[in-house]
Amino acid sequence: AIQLTQSPSSLSASVGDRVTITCRASQGVSSGLAWYQQKPGKPPNLLIYDASNLKSGVPSRFSGSGSGTDFTLTISSLQPEDFATYYCQQFNSFPLTFGQGTRLEIK
Amino acid sequence: QVQLVESGGGVVQPGRSLRLSCAASGFRFSSYGMHWVRQAPGKGLEWVAVISYDGNNKYYADSVKGRFTISRDNSKNTLYVQMNSLRAEDTAKYYCVKDVRTEAADLDYWGQGTLVTVSS
C-alpha cells in the first residue's frame, strides 16, 4: 500500500499567517491526490482535488500543488475558521490511503 | 443538495455481524462510485471499501478484506456494507462517501457517519 506522510503532524499559527502542509507519498501517485479539512465532530470536507484544483465554494486562500511523490497544501492567510485537522488522500492505486493528519492550532 | 444518511450503527459483540446502510439523495446515485471510510475515536481517517457506479467493481482495505462486503442498490439509491466477524479494532464512526467519478478518485460528499462499537 502507498504510505502518505504528512508534515508537520501539528502546527501552531496565528491569524493572517501563511501556512504550508506537505504530504509525501512512498511511491508516485501522479496527480491522484486530494486534501480535506476536518473540524471536531464533523465529517471531512474536500478542499483540493486532483492535487491542485480548488473545489467550488472553497476560499481562494487555499491552494494545492505537486505531483508524483511530493505535494503541498498552502493557506495564504489563516482565518479563524481554518483551525482544524487536514488530511491528504491518494487514489492512484488501491487500497486508497490517507495521511495521518496535520492538526492546525491557534498560537 | 447532496445528502448521505447512514444508519445501522450500534454496539455489537466481537465476532458478530452488522449491516450499515446509506440513503443517498440529491444526485444521480447510479453514476458515481461510493465508499465507506471510518474513523476510530480520536484517530485519523481509514478508507474501508469502494464500489463502482454499476456495482461491478469492489475494492477493500486489507484490514477488512474477507470480512466486509460492500454493495449497492441503484433502484433504491442506497449503499450498504455487511460487516462480519467484527473485532474491537473495527470500532469507529463509519462514513458513507460519494466519489467525484465512477469508481475511485476524490471524495466530494460525506455523510455525518454512524458509530459502530464492538465490545463484549
Side-chain angles (χ1 to χ4, degrees):
Chain A
I2 296 174
Q3 293 185 8
L4 298 179
T5 303
Q6 291 181 229
S7 59
S9 294
S10 63
L11 173 62
S12 293
S14 301
V15 172
D17 284 354
R18 179 183 180 90
V19 167
T20 297
I21 298 169
T22 66
C23 178
R24 176 162 288 177
S26 59
Q27 59 191 82
V29 299
S30 186
S31 295
L33 189 112
W35 289 96
Y36 303 87
Q37 176 194 67
Q38 187 178 31
K39 296 182 179 179
K42 298 292 188 181
N45 180 42
L46 176 65
L47 300 174
I48 302 290
Y49 65 96
D50 296 353
S52 59
N53 296 290
L54 191 68
K55 182 187 174 185
S56 176
V58 174
S60 59
R61 62 181 179 272
F62 290 92
S63 63
S65 64
S67 68
T69 60
D70 293 303
F71 300 86
T72 60
L73 172 70
T74 299
I75 310 172
S76 60
S77 179
L78 273 174
Q79 298 302 300
E81 60 268 29
D82 300 338
F83 292 93
T85 300
Y86 294 84
Y87 295 93
C88 58
Q89 173 241 331
Q90 69 81 21
F91 52 88
N92 185 72
S93 65
F94 294 108
L96 306 191
T97 48
F98 288 90
Q100 82 279 15
T102 294
R103 185 174 179 179
L104 180 53
E105 300 174 321
I106 302 174
K107 183 182 286 185
Chain B
Q1 72 280 21
V2 173
Q3 282 198 307
L4 300 167
V5 180
E6 302 94 339
S7 60
V11 180
V12 61
Q13 293 179 329
R16 303 299 290 265
S17 299
L18 205 60
R19 188 176 85 154
L20 306 182
S21 301
C22 170
S25 61
F27 66 103
R28 181 174 285 185
F29 181 73
S30 59
S31 295
Y32 296 93
M34 294 295 297
H35 303 250
W36 290 99
V37 175
R38 68 186 181 183
Q39 188 168 35
K43 303 296 184 182
L45 301 169
E46 181 186 15
W47 175 78
V48 173
V50 63
I51 186 168
S52 61
Y53 71 105
D54 56 2
N56 285 341
N57 296 321
K58 305 173 186 181
Y59 301 91
Y60 298 91
D62 288 345
S63 58
V64 306
K65 199 174 294 182
R67 300 188 300 122
F68 288 16
T69 302
I70 191 171
S71 61
R72 65 191 297 160
D73 185 337
N74 285 345
S75 69
K76 296 181 178 179
N77 289 349
T78 303
L79 175 72
Y80 304 98
V81 63
Q82 176 68 41
M83 306 187 294
N84 298 332
S85 303
L86 283 161
R87 306 167 179 167
E89 53 265 36
D90 295 318
T91 294
K93 179 171 281 190
Y94 285 73
Y95 293 104
C96 166
V97 191
K98 173 188 170 294
D99 200 282
V100 301
R101 300 194 182 109
T102 57
E103 191 168 90
D106 320 84
L107 311 177
D108 63 346
Y109 288 97
W110 298 60
Q112 292 298 310
T114 187
L115 183 61
V116 173
T117 303
V118 183
S119 174
S120 54

